[in-house]
Amino acid sequence: MSLHKKVGRLMIAGFKGITMSDEIKHLIHEYHIGGVILFGRNIGTPQEILDLTKSLQKEAKAAGYTSPLLICIDQENGVVRRLGEGTTIIPGAMLLGATHKPNHARNAGFMTGKELKALGINWNLAPVVDVNNNPENPVIGVRSFGENVQEVTTMAKNSMLGMQEAGIMTTLKHFPGHGDTSVDSHLDLPVIGHDLKRLHEIELVPFKDCIAAGADAIMSAHVYFPALEKESNTPATLSRSVISGLLRKELGFEGVITTDCMEMDAIAKGIGTVNGCVKAVEAGVDLVMVSHIHSLQEESILKMVEAVRNNTITEQQIDQSINRIERMISNYTSWDEIEKIQEVASFVGSQIHHDQMKTIYKDGITLVSREGKSIQANDRVLLIYPTNVYATMVEDKRYATLEMAEKLKKVHSQVDEIEVDPTRYEEVLENAIDKVNNYDHIVVLTLNAVQHGNQQKLVHQIIASGKPVDVVAIRSPYDASYFPQANRMICAFEFTQTAFEIVAEYLVGRTEINGKLPVTLF
């Protein structure tokens, strides 16, 4: 095998479109890239997803691959969910954490893996094992199972094992921990200043336990840990002491280590994507991920080839990485297995799967306050919800807050709605307060009100009207800290259709919700 194709095995590349692009075909044939990453831009119907994954594998086989292509996706569920219509909506981590039932995490993991496998996707970039102990964390939040290290560990391990049982490779992220940051690494370089003792007591615990339980892969964090790395502002992804020292030697991890996307600003605005890929491999990672720009993907491979020729990276190290990658692939898939999948299995997005997950949603969605008055049959209801503004760059842009109106109208005949543009709160405030008096019951959705004073002001003004006001936090549970006077304060943790379905049924008294918060309110 040529050096270009050896080094290419260390690249995970993304592309645009629901069919294979010419660029990705070029990377497969010219460099034998290790795999591809799928985003919402690549997701069509279940059949279109299967057609895409089969075409990618067919191309890889024609190009002379000895083992199948890695096809990965960020299917964390909840707010980071790539699959679209026709697949089952599965609860995200913090909602699962609110059930406090490890078997729910295992079942959700199994169903996630089962549907991914049926669509030809063999590697999931999940679960998130970060401990979310910082209420101001802008990027993890509800992507974490909670703030209690032992509960996070138990839930994450069960999620991982469920996916593995379904035949899917898994990824623990983001090593050595992204839970206690107040900066989004998509936008800048976060710094975590905890000492080694604290890191071993909190951040590293879920990684240690999941490694012992048979973790397949671990994703590095673009976060700087001064206690672990002497060179200033060097993120864990680029740190030999973190990757080769802490993870490989001290924790004994023998599986695959991958980077997060190297186009994120924490890397791109520092060392740069291309040089960052070289530095990450020097640090000891097995796979570098360049999710978007083709020129950067090819330049990164060529720069790594140059580093091998200059003896900055040894060819032996490249061989070791390839062996780890191929060992992981061989544990989960084969050419024969891929060729047997000819059509989308009937269980993908089935009613049976939906009903099974609905049970978990009921056990996770949480009533924070006292049990207030339910919506009565003849009540005129006003629903107020914010326009969907995405809190982080990792979230998929296809899921909308307005779907709550549809779900509520299915269970109650008299519902009007106001969509609130966050940039026009003052104007909306006047209109909303005037309208409130014409209704018997008000439902207000909050989307990270913890970060938006105007959103808090709007809700407080509506509560002051004296009408029964139900407040539903559809992302950050910390919103619940601000509205103790609400008729009912509910945490849904995510704005997925099934979450809205359960909340709507609960508001009119048709179902119960049983969750208990996995984080402490201030």
Side-chain angles (χ1 to χ4, degrees):
M1 183 186 293
S2 71
L3 183 57
H4 283 66
K5 288 180 178 177
K6 272 192 176 185
V7 171
R9 293 287 284 159
L10 276 59
M11 170 62 67
I12 301 293
F15 62 99
K16 293 180 180 179
I18 62 171
T19 58
M20 181 170 45
S21 68
D22 290 340
E23 289 85 359
I24 211 73
K25 186 174 180 179
H26 171 71
L27 292 175
I28 288 171
H29 282 271
E30 187 70 21
Y31 299 106
H32 277 205
I33 57 168
V36 299
I37 178 168
L38 303 182
F39 290 93
R41 65 194 181 194
N42 306 115
I43 302 302
T45 64
Q47 186 60 55
E48 285 170 334
I49 298 169
L50 181 59
D51 290 345
L52 172 60
T53 59
K54 286 187 72 67
S55 69
L56 287 164
Q57 295 292 10
K58 184 178 179 181
E59 204 65 48
K61 194 168 189 182
Y65 280 54
T66 55
S67 58
L69 193 68
L70 286 167
I71 301 179
C72 66
I73 195 167
D74 287 293
Q75 191 66 13
E76 298 172 15
N77 301 312
V79 300
V80 180
R81 176 178 182 266
R82 307 300 185 210
L83 297 184
E85 294 298 321
T87 59
T88 303
I89 297 173
I90 298 170
M94 193 164 283
L95 194 148
L96 288 166
T99 71
H100 300 278
K101 294 182 177 180
N103 64 303
H104 279 340
R106 195 157 188 147
N107 291 340
F110 181 79
M111 189 171 291
T112 300
K114 185 178 177 183
E115 294 206 0
L116 289 175
K117 187 91 170 178
L119 299 174
I121 298 165
N122 52 34
W123 182 24
N124 196 10
L125 303 176
V128 171
V129 304
D130 300 316
V131 181
N132 194 76
N133 41 29
N134 185 342
E136 296 181 359
N137 193 316
V139 66
I140 302 301
V142 294
R143 297 168 65 197
S144 164
F145 290 99
E147 69 181 14
N148 180 285
V149 64
Q150 292 304 329
E151 289 198 1
V152 169
T153 299
T154 300
M155 299 299 277
K157 182 161 58 176
N158 276 276
S159 175
M160 178 188 83
L161 292 172
M163 285 185 268
Q164 289 175 334
E165 286 165 6
I168 286 287
M169 294 169 255
T170 58
T171 314
L172 310 179
K173 62 188 191 186
H174 307 80
F175 186 84
H178 207 322
D180 197 5
T181 60
S182 55
V183 172
D184 183 348
S185 53
H186 292 82
L187 305 173
D188 206 345
L189 177 63
V191 179
I192 293 181
H194 298 310
D195 60 23
L196 279 171
K197 181 175 182 293
R198 149 64 192 247
L199 293 173
H200 277 282
E201 289 174 350
I202 304 291
E203 279 76 10
L204 295 175
V205 172
F207 289 100
K208 292 176 186 176
D209 278 27
C210 289
I211 287 169
D216 304 304
I218 293 178
M219 178 183 285
S220 63
H222 300 333
V223 177
Y224 173 46
F225 292 79
L228 302 174
E229 171 57 53
K230 293 178 182 178
E231 188 175 337
S232 180
N233 294 323
T234 299
T237 297
L238 310 181
S239 169
R240 187 163 187 82
S241 63
V242 172
I243 302 300
S244 296
L246 177 61
L247 184 51
R248 282 276 185 236
K249 293 180 182 176
E250 191 172 340
L251 301 189
F253 181 59
E254 296 178 354
V256 171
I257 301 174
T258 181
T259 71
D260 207 336
C261 179
M262 300 299 284
E263 291 162 296
M264 290 162 60
D265 284 354
I267 301 294
K269 287 187 176 179
I271 191 173
T273 297
V274 174
N275 289 329
C277 286
V278 175
K279 184 81 170 174
V281 173
E282 285 180 32
V285 306
D286 301 303
L287 289 166
V288 292
M289 198 169 289
V290 183
S291 306
H292 303 283
I293 302 172
H294 174 73
S295 60
L296 291 178
Q297 294 161 353
E298 193 157 19
E299 286 172 37
S300 296
I301 294 170
L302 295 174
K303 194 76 172 179
M304 289 189 286
V305 169
E306 183 183 319
V308 174
R309 287 180 172 153
N310 292 339
N311 295 316
T312 307
I313 299 169
T314 67
E315 194 164 349
Q316 181 186 17
Q317 182 188 336
I318 301 295
D319 290 339
Q320 289 171 343
S321 288
I322 291 172
N323 288 338
R324 290 189 196 100
I325 294 162
E326 294 193 343
R327 184 170 66 239
M328 180 173 76
I329 293 170
S330 68
N331 287 337
Y332 288 92
T333 190
S334 65
W335 291 120
D336 287 344
E337 181 184 65
I338 289 166
E339 287 166 7
K340 285 178 185 175
I341 303 174
Q342 294 298 326
E343 58 185 33
V344 177
S346 60
F347 59 73
V348 173
S350 66
Q351 188 63 44
I352 291 173
H353 278 194
H354 174 73
D355 291 344
Q356 289 174 359
M357 291 300 102
K358 197 170 176 181
T359 299
I360 299 178
Y361 273 98
K362 290 178 183 179
D363 280 347
I365 294 173
T366 302
L367 176 67
V368 177
S369 66
R370 59 193 168 84
E371 177 68 67
K373 177 187 176 186
S374 288
I375 294 171
Q376 303 301 301
N378 295 322
D379 281 351
R380 292 162 300 167
V381 176
L382 178 63
L383 171 66
I384 303 172
Y385 59 89
T387 303
N388 190 11
V389 286
Y390 290 88
T392 70
M393 291 178 68
V394 75
E395 294 175 39
D396 201 289
K397 302 295 186 275
R398 293 170 300 163
Y399 306 110
T401 51
L402 59 83
E403 289 176 352
M404 179 62 190
E406 175 194 329
K407 299 301 181 186
L408 192 54
K409 287 174 182 177
K410 279 189 176 180
V411 296
H412 191 75
S413 59
Q414 300 182 69
V415 179
D416 291 331
E417 60 187 281
I418 298 176
E419 183 175 14
V420 179
D421 181 342
T423 64
R424 298 169 58 197
Y425 264 109
E426 295 304 322
E427 178 186 330
V428 168
L429 194 56
E430 290 178 19
N431 294 337
I433 298 305
D434 288 343
K435 281 197 169 187
V436 159
N437 293 324
N438 299 321
Y439 294 87
D440 303 304
H441 204 114
I442 317 300
V443 179
V444 185
L445 308 188
T446 65
L447 183 56
N448 287 2
V450 65
Q451 297 171 7
H452 303 287
N454 280 337
Q455 205 174 144
Q456 296 169 33
K457 183 179 178 182
L458 172 64
V459 179
H460 283 303
Q461 291 271 13
I462 294 167
I463 291 173
S465 71
K467 301 283 185 176
V469 179
D470 293 330
V471 181
V472 184
I474 60 172
R475 192 164 192 254
S476 173
Y478 300 107
D479 288 5
S481 301
Y482 295 94
F483 312 114
Q485 302 307 316
N487 176 60
R488 291 176 289 186
M489 181 68 234
I490 300 157
C491 288
F493 305 104
E494 57 190 61
F495 43 92
T496 49
Q497 291 180 24
T498 311
F500 283 152
E501 183 180 344
I502 299 300
V503 170
E505 290 175 1
Y506 171 74
L507 290 173
V508 300
R510 290 194 185 181
T511 194
E512 294 182 353
I513 52 176
N514 306 305
K516 293 182 180 178
L517 284 181
V519 295
T520 305
L521 301 180
F522 23 81

